[in-house]
Amino acid sequence: MKDAKAPLPKADVSGSQPVSEAAAGAILTIDLGAIRENYRRLKARLAGVRCAGVLKADGYGLGAAPVASALMKEGCDIFFVALLGEGIALRKALGPGPGPDIFVLNGLPPGSESEALAAGLHPVINSAAQLRAWREAARAAGRKLPAAIQVDSGMSRLGVPREDVEALAKDAFDGIDIRFVMSHLACADEPRNPANEAQRLAFERLRKILPKAPASLANSSGIFLGSAYHYDLARPGAALYGINPTPSETNPMLPVVRLQAKVAQTRGVEDGAGIGYGHTHHARGPLRLATISLGYADGWHRRAASAAWFDGVRLPFVGRVSMDSIILDVSALPAGKPGEGELVELIGPSQSLDDAAAHAGTIGYEVLASLGSRFHRHYVGG
Ligand SMILES: *Cc1c(COP(=O)(O)O)cnc(C)c1O
């Protein structure tokens, strides 16, 4: 259990042991100052509307506790996690209250209400059964308990289905302090998609059926759809972490993450040499190769045809990504470069998170959420 006043934890909230920079095969640098600046940029765009921080999946892989501490310095006092376990770990890391409000987006699994209550966590209620269970928890606790109510305005994922909202509204809300009514957008990163307006109108209609409460609709991209989507509280995740919330335009956010891997070994190979598992690649002419200490166990997808960078030079992956290593073609660099132990860049100034994700055939969200636990994590700008 960490003291609330202790310095920023270096380990993630799952409690894995931090590894030293010298011992690590790869180094993940997380710029908490950039996260704070991104929060300020979103706040400026929200012009007075409250702004939460979404910290699900251990703060999109960057460490929910240090990210929360950084955001709290900017005045952020509402956080969202996906799972109850994440909320319990976050509360533990931040120390006992009165702390920020922490909401559990996926709702509480039946029977877990007392655990949520003990950790001072608030459910996002997604069904009539969850409402009943939380009402019962409030009755047993003998006091009003905060919660959010989520309605499904058209994503068909979580939240009270449209056709059930009327019945839910007739249900009893005694013992429940409805902090806000919320919904989630399916296509917010496509500003011209008519689904956005359709969801906004559905949300408008549904929230009026329910008891009067503040409203929340926008994720990161939703903030950029305009003030009609802002309501009383925005819930950005991705944009805080430097993912572009406006994929068709220049990224308005600061980059947050830098990922560098160490060269474990270099070698020269002859024309025709088979490279990596399955010999999926054969050298055409003599090549110089560098093997780096990062692989699919660190979240770099096995099928990713990707590249690393060194001194502004692109170093393509050759052969298959292994569990703990990737082979790079470094023939474009001067002899002796990179040296063993030197760092190549996977994400950083030469290759943005979104570009690295695109080359790997995925999105920045998945790259961040897949980041492994073996890196040396270096927090700067806290
Ligand atoms: C993940 C999530 C968010 C944050 O979305 P971003 O696109 O990362 O900003 C907000 N609300 C809900 C319900 C979510 O699941």
Side-chain angles (χ1 to χ4, degrees):
M1 181 89 181
K2 289 192 185 79
D3 183 333
K5 288 176 204 76
L8 291 178
K10 291 270 187 207
D12 64 19
V13 294
S14 67
S16 64
Q17 285 302 308
V19 54
S20 76
E21 186 162 348
I27 293 159
L28 182 69
T29 306
I30 297 154
D31 188 345
L32 296 172
I35 292 178
R36 290 176 63 173
E37 170 61 18
N38 287 338
Y39 184 79
R40 290 194 293 269
R41 289 183 185 184
L42 296 174
K43 283 284 289 181
R45 192 164 277 274
L46 286 164
V49 166
R50 289 180 82 183
C51 188
V54 177
L55 300 174
K56 56 198 190 189
D58 195 24
Y60 292 47
L62 302 185
V67 171
S69 301
L71 291 175
M72 283 161 75
K73 291 186 185 135
E74 294 299 326
C76 181
D77 58 359
I78 302 185
F79 296 121
F80 289 89
V81 294
L83 305 178
L84 176 55
E86 295 175 343
I88 291 169
L90 180 60
R91 183 64 87 203
K92 217 181 213 173
L94 294 178
D101 285 309
I102 302 172
F103 288 87
V104 179
L105 286 168
N106 283 20
L108 304 179
S112 68
E113 291 78 13
S114 60
E115 277 189 71
L117 191 57
L121 304 170
H122 316 321
V124 171
I125 290 171
N126 291 311
S127 71
Q130 289 176 11
L131 175 65
R132 269 197 304 281
W134 200 236
R135 211 165 52 212
E136 181 52 34
R139 200 193 52 74
R143 61 187 168 92
K144 269 197 146 187
L145 297 181
I149 310 278
Q150 177 161 230
V151 294
D152 177 20
S153 58
M155 186 172 178
S156 315
R157 186 180 69 168
L158 285 168
V160 181
R162 275 186 245 209
E163 59 276 18
D164 297 348
V165 171
E166 210 137 337
L168 186 93
K170 293 198 186 91
D171 208 330
F173 289 86
D174 48 298
I176 297 188
D177 169 14
I178 307 177
R179 294 289 182 83
F180 42 87
V181 172
M182 60 173 276
S183 192
H184 191 49
L185 296 164
C187 307
D189 58 339
E190 302 166 20
R192 275 173 290 275
N193 194 317
N196 294 319
E197 179 73 350
Q199 278 199 266
R200 194 178 66 75
L201 294 174
F203 181 56
E204 255 334 286
R205 187 175 65 75
L206 296 171
R207 68 178 284 240
K208 284 188 183 129
I209 302 172
L210 289 164
K212 203 168 160 54
S216 176
L217 181 61
N219 65 337
S220 299
S221 296
I223 293 171
F224 292 81
L225 293 176
S227 59
Y229 290 80
H230 293 172
Y231 294 95
D232 304 299
L233 176 77
R235 307 184 311 269
L240 295 172
Y241 309 110
I243 293 171
N244 188 357
T246 57
S248 52
E249 289 167 44
T250 313
N251 192 348
M253 314 316 296
L254 280 185
V256 167
V257 180
R258 179 163 200 187
L259 179 60
Q260 298 162 289
K262 274 184 201 165
V263 174
Q265 197 179 6
T266 58
R267 75 182 67 250
V269 294
E270 302 287 301
D271 180 32
I275 298 172
Y277 280 127
H279 281 180
T280 56
H281 192 94
H282 286 88
R284 271 181 252 135
L287 287 182
R288 281 191 307 111
L289 304 176
T291 301
I292 57 172
S293 289
L294 179 132
Y296 62 75
D298 302 295
W300 218 265
H301 288 272
R302 185 169 167 276
R303 276 184 299 273
S306 202
W309 292 74
F310 184 88
D311 272 353
V313 176
R314 187 175 181 276
L315 309 174
F317 291 9
V318 280
R320 281 191 182 141
V321 171
S322 299
M323 184 184 287
D324 318 295
S325 56
I326 295 172
I327 305 163
L328 307 176
D329 178 353
V330 300
S331 307
L333 285 169
K337 282 289 167 187
E340 291 178 7
E342 283 198 284
L343 295 169
V344 302
E345 176 190 308
L346 279 303
I347 299 169
S350 299
Q351 178 162 263
S352 74
L353 169 62
D354 290 311
D355 285 347
H359 292 138
T362 183
I363 55 175
Y365 292 73
E366 192 184 13
V367 170
L368 288 188
S370 306
L371 290 172
S373 55
R374 301 192 294 186
F375 306 132
H376 171 71
R377 287 175 174 240
H378 185 45
Y379 288 97
V380 299

